[in-house]
Amino acid sequence: MSCDAIYRYARRALVWLVAVGVLTAGAGVLYFGTPHHASDASVASVEADPNVTVTEQGGTYTLEPSGRESTVGLVFYPGARVHPDAYVASLAPLASEANVTVVVPKLRLNLAVLEQGAASGYVTGSRVENWYVGGHSLGGAMACRYAAQNPEAVEGVVLYASYCDRDISETGLAALSVTGSADTVLDSDSYEENRENLPADTTVRTLPLNHTQFGSYRGQRGDEPSNLSYATAHDRLANVTVAWVRSQGDT
């Protein structure tokens, strides 16, 4: 094969590889850029609750107790490819019953791994005195990474169907870990392997929820139905989370 032929072949191969890369990247952006959303009814039910004030800006949702000053806040990272609106209904009881301000940030490409430090914009210089970070699934792991790097900025972590892949066991942070017995998405082996990364006094609870019932969305690949309705699942979740937040004595 002549040098010119080799050059032409190599150029065509390079163009082909670039095209494949662009198409693959584009497919990834499209996939992660189309997240799972909450049902309209689940968001509307919270907006109709006189005890909760719901604010949305740029896809970020803030839930505040109506007519009351809140001294406790929670920045909650969504799971991978899940929109913040999917957590409005499941987290609303924290605002209405525990006087907590809840922020569910909209993240780039709906991936908390791309914005592990998203909580900083809320916990720094806020009128809310005591902040917690938490999240669902991948979001919980990234919230833990934030807490591990900034233990002085937060009081603790709230994990839904998630685990810490960074060691916070000696930080003095409070921790709540809630998993679902009907959850077929959470990697149970990784969960068990990383349990020692949590403080020894972590509150651990298992509820009969599947993966999506920590929010208000459907269509999660690999998830299986549970025997609970979403409303009942959220009530069970609220009973645990509200009680835990109150036990911290910050509200």
Side-chain angles (χ1 to χ4, degrees):
M1 183 181 292
S2 68
C3 290
D4 286 345
I6 293 173
Y7 173 74
R8 288 195 299 272
Y9 177 81
R11 186 172 60 181
R12 285 197 298 269
L14 179 60
V15 170
W16 182 82
L17 288 172
V18 169
V20 169
V22 169
L23 289 173
T24 301
V29 169
L30 179 62
Y31 177 78
F32 288 106
T34 53
H36 298 292
H37 280 273
S39 65
D40 291 340
S42 70
V43 177
S45 67
V46 178
E47 291 175 331
D49 185 345
N51 296 310
V52 182
T53 299
V54 181
T55 307
E56 183 275 330
Q57 185 174 11
T60 292
Y61 278 79
T62 302
L63 313 175
E64 298 176 283
S66 298
R68 292 171 290 164
E69 285 290 330
S70 177
T71 60
V72 176
L74 169 67
V75 180
F76 191 87
Y77 290 31
R81 203 181 166 228
V82 185
H83 194 275
D85 64 11
Y87 301 97
V88 170
S90 60
L91 296 175
L94 284 171
S96 61
E97 300 175 28
N99 205 38
V100 175
T101 293
V102 181
V103 179
V104 190
K106 179 69 170 67
L107 305 174
R108 279 182 292 147
L109 287 181
N110 305 293
L111 288 171
V113 71
L114 299 180
E115 291 194 71
Q116 297 175 35
S120 291
Y122 303 99
V123 305
T124 304
S126 168
R127 60 179 175 77
V128 176
E129 298 173 8
N130 303 299
W131 281 97
Y132 293 78
V133 288
H136 175 223
S137 198
L138 177 65
M142 297 305 105
C144 252
R145 290 187 182 185
Y146 177 84
Q149 294 174 355
N150 304 276
E152 74 292 340
V154 295
E155 305 295 322
V157 296
V158 177
L159 304 177
Y160 284 175
S162 187
Y163 53 83
C164 273
D165 64 355
R166 297 292 187 272
D167 190 355
I168 63 168
S169 61
E170 302 297 329
T171 59
L173 295 172
L176 170 67
S177 174
V178 187
T179 57
S181 59
D183 185 349
T184 53
V185 175
L186 176 65
D187 186 330
S188 57
D189 289 339
S190 294
Y191 174 81
E192 292 297 333
E193 289 170 3
N194 287 281
R195 286 189 69 161
E196 292 186 356
N197 287 334
L198 292 172
D201 61 352
T202 296
T203 298
V204 179
R205 296 288 184 269
T206 301
L207 301 175
L209 280 63
N210 66 18
H211 201 71
T212 63
Q213 287 178 321
F214 287 92
S216 298
Y217 67 100
R218 290 170 171 78
Q220 178 89 48
R221 182 180 299 175
D223 205 21
E224 298 291 336
S226 76
N227 292 322
L228 298 182
S229 68
Y230 277 71
T232 301
H234 293 166
D235 286 343
R236 298 278 189 92
L237 192 57
N239 289 341
V240 169
T241 309
V242 169
W244 181 80
V245 170
R246 286 174 173 169
S247 73
Q248 302 310 303
D250 298 321
T251 57

